[in-house]
Amino acid sequence: ELVLKVRIQTPTLRENDFIEIELDRQELTYQELLRVSCRELGVNPEHVQKIRKLPNTMLRKDKDVARLQDFQELELVLTVSDKNLLFRVPTLSEQSGYNKKASELTY
């Protein structure tokens, strides 16, 4: 697994911590990075304008993602400024730690 640090680019927030995400090294693609980052941060992928490798490099393609190393810091730059439109509530099955079999209890 490749471990990356990701956050949403929001210069107005006082606290803007990174979260760590894991990507399978066999699936290092731009789309997979976008999918996992958005799922973990609760962001709609349609609102992501670009992914920036800090401090100042835009990721554009699969080869850029393949060159990433453990614990590199990335930011999702969003297109919409209205916070209420950016974040979506993940479905129960998308949430970390969700156990589908445990949710299907029979009495």
Side-chain angles (χ1 to χ4, degrees):
E1 290 185 335
L2 174 68
V3 178
L4 300 170
K5 296 167 62 175
V6 183
R7 70 179 179 189
I8 298 170
Q9 187 253 342
T10 51
T12 57
L13 288 179
R14 290 173 62 200
E15 287 189 36
N16 191 16
D17 295 331
F18 288 93
I19 64 166
E20 291 181 354
I21 64 168
E22 297 87 22
L23 293 177
D24 185 341
R25 289 189 186 270
Q26 305 303 316
E27 297 179 26
L28 286 180
T29 64
Y30 184 88
Q31 281 304 109
E32 183 65 4
L33 172 61
L34 178 64
R35 185 188 71 76
V36 172
S37 298
C38 288
R39 184 188 71 221
E40 292 290 329
L41 291 168
V43 173
N44 187 331
E46 295 173 1
H47 295 149
V48 176
Q49 179 182 2
K50 61 185 171 183
I51 301 175
R52 176 184 298 133
K53 180 175 77 170
L54 295 178
N56 58 6
T57 304
M58 182 173 64
L59 298 179
R60 301 172 296 137
K61 55 191 176 191
D62 293 348
K63 284 186 177 184
D64 297 341
V65 176
R67 285 191 290 268
L68 293 174
Q69 298 177 4
D70 277 329
F71 301 103
Q72 284 196 294
E73 296 178 344
L74 307 176
E75 281 186 335
L76 300 184
V77 180
L78 305 177
T79 57
V80 184
S81 60
D82 184 359
K83 284 189 287 187
N84 296 329
L85 297 176
L86 295 177
F87 300 98
R88 64 178 183 81
V89 177
T91 64
L92 193 57
S93 62
E94 292 176 331
Q95 293 177 5
S96 297
Y98 175 73
N99 185 338
K100 183 170 175 41
K101 288 186 179 183
S103 70
E104 298 172 349
L105 296 175
T106 55
Y107 296 96

